[in-house]
Amino acid sequence: MSTAILTGPPVAGSPLEADLRTLGFDVRTASDPADVTALLADVPAQERVALVDPRFVGHLHALRLALTDPRFPAAAVPGALTAQPEARAALARAAGRIPVGAGTAHLTDVLTDTLTEALDREDIGLHRVEPGSLVATVALTPAQRDEAREAAAAVDDEAVRLRTAVKSRDGFFTTFCISPYSRYLARWCARRGLTPNQVTTASLLTALIAAGCAATGTRAGFVAAGVLLLLSFVLDCTDGQLARYSLQYSTMGAWLDATFDRAKEYAFYAGLALGAARCSGDDVWALALGAMILQTCRHVVDFAFNEANHDATANTSPTAALSDRLDSVGWTVWVRRMIVLPIGERWAMIAVLTALTTPRVVFLALLVGCALAACYTTAGRVLRSLTRRARRTDRAARALLDLADTGPLVELISRGARGRGSTGSLLAPVMAFLSSAVLLVWVIFQKNPASWPTVGVAACSALLAGAAVSRPLKGALDWLVPPLFRAGEYLTVLVLAARSDAPGALPAAFGLIAAVAYHHYDTVYRIRGGTGAPPRWLVRATGGHEGRILVVTALAALLPDTGFTIALTVLAVVLALLVLIESIRFWVSSGAPAVHDEGEPA
């Protein structure tokens, strides 16, 4: 139970107290700032406190947005203010500083607004809710009250609540084929007490069943898999809409929503590969692994670009201006959103092709579609970066270094190379490109890549990687460093497994890359949540990208045939357990802020 304090002259017949109790508040009253201060001291420190003017007139959902959203330490609309435990001290100080007596009417008449201004000056992260079409006001006279009530009656707040449960920016398929009915499913779930985490889990289970159906290798199984994958996506949309509808944002929800999407999609890839082998003996594991690598690298491009420009100053670009002008033309908005093949369009394509064609066709379509989308988005980001006059911050450089996932070997090399090269030059992306390209050219064109010379080339690759991160990553194109490292690592494992004579090497490589990709996604969402990258001991324990490459190349040279498959499998299991245990510990027990992922950028 949270506590709401009514501060101001009472209003007879007002439904305000009933509304506050509906929202889960225990209602108390205070006549002046001194009473407010006393009541604040009386409320347990771990509780949320709201201050509401009794003359407030507005929609229940406006109050809900202002008083119950867990993402903000403090929030306000006209006439209502809330403070979570971390903002309680600032609220108490603000109330204690308000004088009482003659000449203070301008401060105490609408006390909630005075306290809101005080908290705004405290810089504690106060969120001012924009009511939009909802009504939220303090009516000081009967005429104002009648006018506000008429305005509130003219707007259906439940319709507004349903509409705003849907993301304002989404793909074409999601917007027109899913959200028109999934929002009602979200409301149905809310009225039955279901949580977003439960819906997220149901979406995962549905996708895993879909993967199992695909693994049967029968036409009926493929059709069932396509239908279930679409149902899983409906539930995937519903969990976010439920979170927005009922404001059930949580740290755990952010983690589940972010990671389960990847688990669902990549488990379905594995199911398709198993089904292809069972149906016709078609080995498509290389295509499945290629699709997973391409999709993961696309996300790393998006994540790194966004982090590099998260708080850049003087952030101007003619390319960005052109993009904004294109978005002002209705049809171009949807075309550009569809070109990048977002999750809705991608899953719809996978589902339909799974039901009607073969796994090989599914993967070939994915590779072609995602490759075109990657070229389009990456080219646009490169143009924006080259034409943008912006100064990157230390925070952005730190985030890019964390996303690079460099291990102890590159740490040692970069310390030795520090100071050779200027910050802001193209040295970092060029060295990162060479680090990956040298190794990939060797393993692709060498007659026998499973050899000790390959280990030597991997060591040279690590030297180049150390040069890439020897200076702060503040250059215009330094955000390319993490995706170049990811591509180098993932593709090296793919090529070594594909060119190995070891049976089962590609499925084992699929598991290894899945475990490493989870680690990289986990890093992204920790940074997004404002809690920083995983602990350095974990990065060192996983070897960093250069350490894993050295281990895999050494295993290929040391253990031919079946031994290589067994070694890859063991490495995948060890890494998966290591990163999963630490990830679960962090997201369950940390004080990360309550957020909800608004969906992948591509």
Side-chain angles (χ1 to χ4, degrees):
M1 178 70 75
S2 301
T3 300
I5 301 172
L6 294 177
T7 171
V11 177
S14 171
L16 183 59
E17 286 194 38
D19 286 346
L20 291 171
R21 291 191 175 93
T22 298
L23 297 178
F25 286 93
D26 176 31
V27 181
R28 304 187 188 185
T29 59
S31 58
D32 56 40
D35 284 348
V36 169
T37 302
L39 286 174
L40 288 175
D42 189 46
V43 176
Q46 70 276 12
E47 281 191 16
R48 173 195 290 268
V49 172
L51 274 73
V52 185
D53 192 298
R55 296 163 293 183
F56 175 87
V57 178
H59 289 103
L60 175 62
H61 192 51
L63 277 178
R64 182 183 288 109
L65 290 171
L67 305 184
T68 67
D69 196 325
R71 296 173 296 174
F72 310 106
V77 291
L81 166 70
T82 186
Q84 295 209 64
E86 59 266 36
R88 287 270 304 275
L91 179 60
R93 287 194 302 271
R97 286 196 294 261
I98 296 177
V100 178
T104 65
H106 65 290
L107 296 175
T108 58
D109 187 27
V110 185
L111 185 59
T112 53
D113 290 355
T114 300
L115 291 172
T116 296
E117 295 298 328
L119 287 186
D120 212 358
R121 291 191 296 271
E122 288 270 354
D123 193 26
I124 59 168
L126 174 73
H127 173 65
R128 291 181 180 268
V129 177
E130 294 292 339
S133 58
L134 297 174
V135 175
T137 187
V138 177
L140 301 178
T141 66
Q144 290 177 349
R145 177 169 297 277
D146 291 340
E147 183 180 351
R149 284 174 173 169
E150 288 179 8
V155 177
D156 184 349
D157 71 335
E158 178 61 20
V160 173
R161 189 181 179 190
L162 271 175
R163 186 179 70 250
T164 54
V166 178
K167 284 194 297 186
S168 58
R169 180 181 175 86
D170 222 329
F172 180 89
F173 178 77
T174 304
T175 299
F176 294 103
C177 300
I178 304 295
S179 293
Y181 57 87
S182 62
R183 69 184 75 183
Y184 296 100
L185 179 58
R187 181 171 67 180
W188 182 89
C189 292
R191 291 177 175 177
R192 281 150 186 82
L194 296 177
T195 67
N197 293 351
Q198 291 170 334
V199 178
T200 302
T201 303
S203 175
L204 173 67
L205 293 175
T206 304
L208 293 179
I209 294 171
C213 291
T216 63
T218 64
R219 178 51 53 193
F222 288 147
V223 171
V227 173
L228 288 171
L229 187 65
L230 285 177
L231 176 58
S232 174
F233 183 65
V234 171
L235 294 174
D236 184 55
C237 295
T238 301
D239 66 357
Q241 292 165 358
L242 174 58
R244 287 181 285 273
Y245 180 85
S246 56
L247 300 183
Q248 295 185 74
Y249 302 102
S250 69
T251 300
M252 177 68 78
W255 174 62
L256 292 177
D257 190 60
T259 56
F260 278 12
D261 278 353
R262 304 286 72 75
K264 289 180 286 190
E265 187 166 359
Y266 298 159
F268 196 81
Y269 291 177
L272 283 174
L274 290 170
R278 180 170 294 182
C279 175
S280 58
D282 191 11
D283 187 353
V284 296
W285 278 105
L287 295 177
L289 183 50
M292 181 170 72
I293 290 172
L294 180 54
Q295 187 57 39
T296 303
C297 288
R298 284 185 64 204
H299 285 146
V300 176
V301 167
D302 293 326
F303 297 144
F305 177 80
N306 290 335
E307 287 303 323
N309 296 283
H310 181 269
D311 48 8
T313 56
N315 196 1
T316 60
S317 166
T319 308
L322 174 61
S323 177
D324 292 339
R325 285 198 296 272
L326 288 174
D327 279 346
S328 66
V329 182
W331 64 271
T332 65
V333 174
W334 297 115
V335 170
R336 296 175 73 221
R337 291 186 191 179
M338 293 171 69
I339 287 175
V340 300
L341 206 63
I343 187 171
E345 276 75 0
R346 192 169 67 252
W347 281 29
M349 182 181 73
I350 294 171
V352 172
L353 291 179
T354 296
L356 300 179
T357 65
T358 65
R360 180 171 290 273
V361 172
V362 174
F363 287 127
L364 289 174
L366 265 176
L367 288 168
V368 171
C370 289
L372 292 174
C375 291
Y376 171 77
T377 54
T378 305
R381 283 161 170 72
V382 168
L383 286 174
R384 288 189 184 203
S385 299
L386 292 175
T387 58
R388 173 179 281 148
R389 298 175 182 175
R391 180 177 298 172
R392 272 74 182 186
T393 63
D394 291 338
R395 176 202 171 279
R398 178 72 250 177
L400 290 180
L401 184 61
D402 291 333
L403 290 174
D405 190 34
T406 54
L409 180 57
V410 164
E411 263 189 282
L412 183 63
I413 296 169
S414 64
R415 279 200 295 267
R418 196 153 290 157
R420 302 178 186 177
S422 59
T423 299
S425 69
L426 295 178
L427 176 67
V430 168
M431 290 296 103
F433 173 78
L434 291 175
S435 173
S436 297
V438 165
L439 183 58
L440 286 173
V441 169
W442 177 271
V443 297
I444 290 172
F445 295 104
Q446 181 68 13
K447 184 176 180 180
N448 179 25
S451 61
W452 290 109
T454 302
V455 181
V457 175
C460 293
S461 173
L463 287 171
L464 293 168
V469 297
S470 61
R471 297 299 298 264
L473 299 176
K474 294 184 177 181
L477 296 180
D478 285 1
W479 54 269
L480 286 170
V481 171
L484 286 170
F485 284 165
R486 294 297 76 74
E489 177 186 359
Y490 295 167
L491 289 174
T492 297
V493 176
L494 168 59
V495 173
L496 286 174
R499 298 195 62 189
S500 169
D501 293 329
L506 277 169
F510 188 96
L512 175 60
I513 296 303
V516 176
Y518 175 86
H519 168 57
H520 292 143
Y521 280 108
D522 185 55
T523 300
V524 165
Y525 285 101
R526 291 192 195 215
I527 294 172
R528 277 187 170 185
T531 57
R536 194 62 198 164
W537 70 261
L538 178 65
V539 177
R540 292 192 177 107
T542 59
H545 72 93
E546 81 285 358
R548 291 187 295 270
I549 290 173
L550 283 168
V551 169
V552 171
T553 54
L555 290 174
L558 188 64
L559 301 170
D561 302 327
T562 307
F564 184 52
T565 299
I566 295 173
L568 285 180
T569 303
V570 171
L571 185 59
V573 171
V574 170
L575 284 175
L577 289 175
L578 191 62
V579 299
L580 276 172
I581 290 172
E582 162 57 21
S583 178
I584 292 170
R585 181 210 63 78
F586 170 79
W587 288 105
V588 170
S589 63
S590 77
V595 296
H596 189 84
D597 181 39
E598 285 298 300
E600 63 181 51

